[in-house]
Amino acid sequence: AQIGILKSAMNAYYLDNSSFPSTEQGLKALLEKPSIPPVPENWNGPYLDTKMPRDPWDHELKYFAPGTHNPQTYDIFSLGKDNAEGGVGSDADIGNW
């Protein structure tokens, strides 16, 4: 559910700015206008109604643009319960791929 909320916010950001936030700007760009280049000239946020969502285990979600799994867009993901790459079951990574 948290990733779905962020995907909607990312789509709104993209519509205003014709690009997604860079990895360096991160998901924080959905709440505050980035000051790190490339600074979005048409930023019209905040794009989230609440604070930054966290995964079900209260870990920060990860973000890369371009993504490894989605090289044309971005990856948003949780590292799972163990908060480490890989894993199976509840320790598995969960992402927008």
Side-chain angles (χ1 to χ4, degrees), residues 18-95:
S18 301
S19 66
F20 296 109
S22 68
T23 299
E24 293 76 21
Q25 292 168 332
L27 294 172
K28 185 177 179 181
L30 300 174
L31 293 170
E32 300 173 6
K33 184 175 181 178
S35 57
I36 301 169
V39 175
E41 295 302 319
N42 296 317
W43 192 89
N44 194 27
Y47 296 94
L48 293 169
D49 293 334
T50 61
K51 63 182 182 176
M52 187 60 61
R54 296 176 69 85
D55 75 10
W57 302 279
D58 201 34
H59 301 127
E60 187 176 299
L61 292 163
K62 308 299 180 193
Y63 173 76
F64 294 111
T68 302
H69 295 275
N70 299 301
Q72 300 302 315
T73 57
Y74 57 86
D75 291 348
I76 298 174
F77 59 101
S78 162
L79 293 175
K81 185 177 181 180
D82 65 354
N83 204 31
E85 282 191 45
V88 295
S90 64
D91 289 336
D93 298 349
I94 303 164

